Amino acid sequence: MTRILPLEPLTREAFAPFGEVIEAAGITPIPINYGATSRYHDLANIDCAAQGGSAIVSLFRSTPPAYPFTLKVMENHPLGTQAFMPLSGRPWLVVVAPPGWFDAGKVRAFRARGDQGVNFARGTWHHFNLTLGAASDFLVIDRSGPASEKPDDNCTEVSLEEFGLAVEAPHGA
Amino acid sequence: MTRILPLEPLTREAFAPFGEVIEAAGITPIPINYGATSRYHDLANIDCAAQGGSAIVSLFRSTPPAYPFTLKVMENHPLGTQAFMPLSGRPWLVVVAPPGWFDAGKVRAFRARGDQGVNFARGTWHHFNLTLGAASDFLVIDRSGPASEKPDDNCTEVSLEEFGLAVEAPHGA
């Protein structure tokens, strides 16, 4: 049996248990550049320095799955935050569960606008990028550890096959 | 007398003295997310940890000036890199000069595509955001220092009024 997760609007308040929403809306900007630029300052708690790590910048190009999509796996980075900012302007889906022991009953799905990014807090369970409509690029800020570190040290996965959780593309996307 | 700077195409090679170009083109990606995502890995040398600083994420919303635009000031962040990634998909202009003593004869202007970001190396002289066509948003990754630090410690400006350097919007933008 499959359960379709309801899509919640992505807001700072609703997403707070999982990290930060990166968006200008609701922030009072600082005027800089002699008035040419509004700076919406310091919107994400980048936290990538644990165990000799540092923040790196990459681009992700993600292809949308066929919807409805049954969730297969979620991942968790205990040593660093991971921020995603869409570059395509297209809406996308963010599926998360609280840090700690994985609880399939606490998985939540958010519908993000195309001008909303997120920063997953350390340890937040999250599904990989779920794009809508077309292959879409994201700027990603995450952690790179020392060469001696094993990849598994900062990436845990949990299988969702047994839970039958699915997401559906929103109407019009 | 005004001199219009020629607009050079933004390429990794041409921009190397000033920092990195953040773009997928020319990079072999790493397949992740069970094939759904291509990861273009670690494209910028984020360097914001000097003197107790760290990398922060902000949004900049910049209004284009009237073109031709006479350059008035350039700035320099000696303690940290500053990365700009366009979110609008619109092309933009990047005006830089080499680190060290400012030399107006070495100012260069690049035309960036809408899918190209840049990361200014520590000490690279750069003009503030020069957008084209409409107000445009950028994701910015730069340095925040300890509370005891003065803003001037990481931002030097030089006046360009006397040099009469200008940039023109490219045809079609």
Side-chain angles (χ1 to χ4, degrees):
Chain A
M1 221 187 83
T2 298
R3 180 164 78 90
I4 301 280
L5 292 165
L7 292 181
E8 306 175 50
L10 182 65
T11 65
R12 284 197 179 85
E13 296 69 25
F15 196 71
F18 310 107
E20 301 87 44
V21 177
I22 302 171
E23 65 173 326
I27 302 288
T28 302
I30 304 167
I32 60 170
N33 299 164
Y34 303 89
T37 298
S38 296
R39 180 178 177 124
Y40 302 83
H41 185 70
D42 196 6
L43 303 174
N45 297 321
I46 303 298
D47 176 7
C48 294
Q51 300 186 22
S54 62
I56 61 169
V57 172
S58 303
L59 292 170
F60 281 20
R61 181 164 294 165
S62 297
T63 305
Y67 291 101
F69 174 71
T70 301
L71 305 179
K72 287 177 181 54
V73 70
M74 286 176 80
E75 58 188 49
N76 182 314
H77 307 303
L79 297 181
T81 52
Q82 189 174 40
F84 289 80
M85 190 73 204
L87 303 177
S88 67
R90 275 187 287 272
W92 56 301
L93 303 183
V94 178
V95 176
V96 288
W101 194 255
F102 180 76
D103 181 347
K106 293 191 174 166
V107 175
R108 291 169 67 182
F110 293 94
R111 178 185 180 166
R113 298 191 313 267
D115 64 351
Q116 289 180 311
V118 300
N119 184 44
F120 296 120
R122 288 170 62 169
T124 288
W125 291 101
H126 56 278
H127 198 276
F128 63 71
N129 249 353
L130 290 169
T131 53
L132 297 167
S136 302
D137 286 358
F138 292 75
L139 192 80
V140 175
I141 306 162
D142 59 6
R143 176 182 174 278
S144 179
S148 58
E149 192 173 281
K150 300 187 192 101
D152 285 0
D153 291 350
N154 193 31
C155 192
T156 309
E157 285 194 348
V158 63
S159 170
L160 274 73
E161 303 274 3
E162 65 186 292
F163 301 114
L165 298 176
V167 284
E168 175 62 284
H171 292 292
Chain B
M1 221 187 84
T2 298
R3 181 164 77 91
I4 302 280
L5 292 166
L7 292 181
E8 305 175 50
L10 182 65
T11 65
R12 285 196 180 85
E13 296 69 24
F15 196 71
F18 310 107
E20 301 86 44
V21 177
I22 303 171
E23 64 174 327
I27 303 287
T28 302
I30 304 166
I32 60 171
N33 299 164
Y34 303 89
T37 297
S38 296
R39 180 179 177 123
Y40 301 83
H41 184 70
D42 196 6
L43 303 176
N45 298 321
I46 302 298
D47 176 7
C48 294
Q51 299 186 20
S54 62
I56 61 168
V57 172
S58 303
L59 292 170
F60 280 21
R61 181 164 294 164
S62 297
T63 305
Y67 292 102
F69 174 71
T70 301
L71 305 178
K72 287 175 183 56
V73 69
M74 287 176 80
E75 59 188 48
N76 182 314
H77 307 303
L79 298 181
T81 52
Q82 189 174 39
F84 289 80
M85 190 73 203
L87 303 177
S88 66
R90 275 187 286 272
W92 55 301
L93 304 183
V94 178
V95 176
V96 287
W101 195 255
F102 179 75
D103 181 346
K106 293 191 174 166
V107 176
R108 291 169 67 181
F110 293 94
R111 179 185 180 166
R113 298 191 314 266
D115 64 350
Q116 290 180 309
V118 299
N119 183 45
F120 296 119
R122 286 170 62 169
T124 288
W125 291 101
H126 55 278
H127 198 277
F128 62 71
N129 250 352
L130 290 169
T131 53
L132 297 167
S136 303
D137 286 358
F138 291 75
L139 192 81
V140 174
I141 306 161
D142 60 7
R143 176 181 174 278
S144 179
S148 58
E149 192 173 280
K150 300 187 192 102
D152 286 0
D153 290 351
N154 193 31
C155 191
T156 308
E157 285 195 345
V158 63
S159 170
L160 273 72
E161 302 273 4
E162 65 184 293
F163 301 114
L165 298 176
V167 284
E168 177 62 286
H171 292 292

